[in-house]
Structures are given as C-alpha cells and as structure tokens.
Amino acid sequence: MSFVMQPHLRVVDSAPERDFRADMHAALAAPQRSISPKYFYDARGSQLFDAICELREYYPTRTELSLLRGHAAEIAALAGREAEVVEFGAGSLRKVRLLLDALENPASYVPIDISGEHLAQAAAQLRSDYPGLAVHPVAADYTQPLQLPAGTRKSGMRLGFFPGSTIGNFDPEQALRFLRMAARVLRGGALLLGADLVKDPAVLHAAYNDEAGVTAAFNLNLLARANRELGTDFDLDGFAHGAFYNSPQRRIEMHLVSRRAQRVQLDGQTYLFEDGETLHTENSHKFSVDSLRALAAEAGFTAGPVWTDPNRLFSLHWLAAPA
Ligand code: AVJ
C-alpha cells in the first residue's frame, strides 16, 4: 500500500502490517526483546493514549498546552507572518490549533504522519476549521530522510512543530539524526519542540503507573493488537505492565513482563518466555533544558528562548534552523 497525497511527492511503500510482523519476529527472536513504541498506536491504542493525556498523574500534555497558551504571543512574534507549519506526527490537533490560532495569517499546514488514515482525518478537520489555510498532508515516516512538497510556502518561515516530548522515544543517536533531518527540512526557519524534563523519580513513576491502569492497558494493547493483526496467541493475563525510571539513562522504560514461563506462537514459530522475562516496549527519555539545547546545537540549530512551567515539569524550545 502506498499513499500519494501530493502529485509531486513520492512516498515509499510503508506496508505497516508487514513491518509489524517482521519487527515482532525480530523482537521475539532477540535475547533482550524489544519492539518500537510506534506499534502502540492502532485505533484502540490511540484512544488509550488520549485517555492517558487526561490522567491526573500524566502532567506532560496539560503542562505543554498551558505553555503554548501562555507564550502564544511570543511564539507568534518569533514566527512572523504567513508561516508554514510542518508538524512531525499528526497526533495533537489540540496543540497545533493553539499554534495556528496564535500565528498571524499562517499560510499552510503540513502534517507528516506514517498513518494515512490519521492524516486524512487531521487534514479534513483543519481544512474545515481554517478555510484560509492550505493543508498539505504528507504520508511518510519522519524518522527517514524526507522531502516536502515544494511551492507550498509563501513569504513566511517554515516552522517545525514537534510537541509532546515524542523526541524522548528516540535514543540519543536517533534523536540527533532526527534533529539533523529537521534542520535540513526547516532550513532558515525554526523548530518548536516540546521536551519532558528530568524530575523527582516518584513523579515520573506515577505518570507511567497511573492508579486507574490506563497506561497498563495501553502497554498491554500491543499484545492484543499482535493477536488481532498477526495471529499471535499472547495470553493477555500472562503479562503484566512494568514501568520504571532508569535513572542513569534518564528514561522511563516500559516493559511487558511475563508472569510465568510460557510459549507464544507466531507464524508457526514458538517463542519461550521465562518467568519475569520482558518485552521492552518503550523508552521515554527525559531532558534537562541544557541537555536538550546542547543536542539541538549539535544538530546545527541555534537554541533560542525556552519556556518552562513554575514546577519545571516540561519545556518548550524555540530552535532556529541553520540557513
Ligand atoms: C507520546 C512518547 C511522549 O513517552 O510520555 C505515555 C507515550 N507512554 N505513557 C510518553 C506514553 C506511556 C508518551 N509519548
């Protein structure tokens, strides 16, 4: 399956189902099992993630929204008139609306997302709510080298938007690679980036171990999705949600922990789990303001203003892209 949303834009075959199958085989065959967190986000997983964002314990979403609201005017002044907003991932319509509402006469919106369905929805919503805005969705994996549709930009700057601390899902080397790609795509413009901050491990722990068990359901949905789409026979009661702060690595790790010795089948192959053995499903790296700015500088950006909340939970960075 391949999506071509712009006639002059070529998108490689993304074949999400084949990738999931191949990645699951690779994960199950590896000595330390791990799989990309991008597979959390089927329809059910996206719903559960939206529910996570509303949790009392999960501070990032509401903190970032309040930073965007509180600093909208400064951000708009930095962006200038007729900016082209390029969003990496099309997840957060609420957030990009705050940005679009603040900007002076934004020219266009280019959401980049691996899910064509997600994109189509986001694009349709924004087109009807912002009649003057040119919306150019791009179906692509933004962790891969990327080319944007030409000629969508008017006189304004190209402003990248990467909220939610999604950058925390990357390893440091992947984050650097992403930022280098973004610097190239945004040349002469800027990147508005949200990054979660290092803090009291108890606060971090609570955010990924909520009392209502929504994060656990989100994590376990990966196995349910594999059963639905790949025909695995994961026993959902046989695995527990595990999330802890790895302090030397400054990251939350999420795992699915086998509650007993058991077997799982995939395409006629049998994989054994020992009691306590895990499938590592996500890293969520935390940053200091300085570590994020240093990383951005290494990728060629010039770090500009940074906004944080009074409790220093979350940070929003203005990063100027090299000319
Ligand atoms: C979307 C990657 C930013 O790391 O906090 C939330 C995903 N995982 N709860 C995060 C997530 C568990 C979230 N990101």
Side-chain angles (χ1 to χ4, degrees):
M1 180 163 46
S2 97
F3 301 103
V4 180
M5 324 274 285
Q6 292 291 314
H8 44 287
L9 181 82
R10 265 164 297 141
V11 174
V12 252
D13 180 3
S14 69
E17 204 242 65
R18 197 196 50 215
D19 289 357
F20 187 24
R21 187 173 296 280
D23 286 356
M24 184 59 86
H25 271 294
L28 292 175
Q32 168 51 66
R33 293 164 164 162
S34 88
I35 192 158
S36 167
K38 71 183 177 190
Y39 295 116
F40 283 140
Y41 300 93
D42 65 347
R44 178 70 185 138
S46 299
Q47 250 174 23
L48 287 165
F49 181 68
D50 288 346
I52 286 174
C53 293
E54 304 290 323
L55 292 168
R56 176 178 52 80
E57 297 97 328
Y58 194 75
Y59 59 84
T61 310
R62 82 177 68 88
T63 309
E64 185 176 47
L65 282 168
S66 80
L67 289 173
L68 280 168
R69 243 178 252 119
H71 300 286
E74 292 157 81
I75 292 166
L78 287 162
R81 313 187 62 248
E82 298 188 347
E84 173 177 81
V85 175
V86 176
E87 183 169 11
F88 299 98
S92 48
L93 280 179
R94 255 182 98 191
K95 291 175 190 170
V96 83
R97 271 169 206 278
L98 277 176
L99 183 59
L100 291 170
D101 290 344
L103 294 179
E104 191 185 343
N105 205 7
S108 50
Y109 172 56
V110 182
I112 307 168
D113 200 280
I114 195 152
S115 156
E117 202 181 314
H118 214 96
L119 266 175
Q121 258 176 34
Q125 277 284 338
L126 285 180
R127 277 197 187 105
S128 77
D129 294 351
Y130 298 83
L133 187 73
V135 180
H136 301 283
V138 173
D141 180 349
Y142 59 72
T143 64
Q144 303 300 313
L146 179 87
Q147 223 186 311
L148 292 189
T152 59
R153 185 154 37 147
K154 288 202 211 160
S155 54
M157 79 155 65
R158 189 171 258 178
L159 175 59
F161 188 44
F162 196 39
S165 203
T166 304
I167 192 164
N169 271 172
F170 297 138
D171 294 339
E173 318 81 73
Q174 294 172 322
L176 193 57
R177 211 178 314 139
F178 168 80
L179 288 170
R180 290 199 166 116
M181 178 280 295
R184 200 161 51 237
V185 166
L186 301 171
R187 184 157 314 202
L191 177 63
L192 183 61
L193 174 96
D196 197 12
L197 296 175
V198 171
K199 60 180 62 62
D200 179 353
V203 174
L204 289 169
H205 190 271
Y208 295 83
N209 291 276
D210 60 288
E211 227 164 90
V214 183
T215 307
F218 174 71
N219 197 8
L220 283 156
N221 177 60
L222 187 90
L223 301 182
R225 179 183 186 186
N227 287 351
R228 283 192 295 269
E229 295 181 17
L230 309 179
T232 46
D233 61 350
F234 284 108
D235 171 12
L236 299 192
D237 297 324
F239 289 84
H241 168 67
F244 62 90
Y245 186 56
N246 178 336
S247 156
Q249 306 255 51
R250 294 181 163 191
R251 68 192 193 200
I252 288 280
E253 292 187 16
M254 294 217 308
H255 296 255
L256 289 157
V257 187
S258 181
R259 300 161 70 111
R260 49 182 166 76
Q262 57 185 315
R263 312 167 184 283
V264 176
Q265 306 256 10
L266 172 57
D267 295 327
Q269 301 225 52
T270 301
Y271 298 99
L272 299 175
F273 277 86
E274 306 287 350
D275 186 5
E277 214 179 317
T278 81
L279 173 60
H280 186 177
T281 49
E282 184 172 48
N283 287 322
S284 184
H285 288 86
K286 308 305 169 189
F287 303 87
S288 67
V289 164
D290 289 345
S291 73
L292 193 290
R293 286 163 66 92
L295 192 66
E298 211 180 323
F301 285 96
T302 303
V306 53
W307 300 282
T308 63
D309 54 295
N311 297 321
R312 293 222 141 213
L313 295 174
F314 202 88
S315 60
L316 191 59
H317 298 252
W318 183 271
L319 306 170

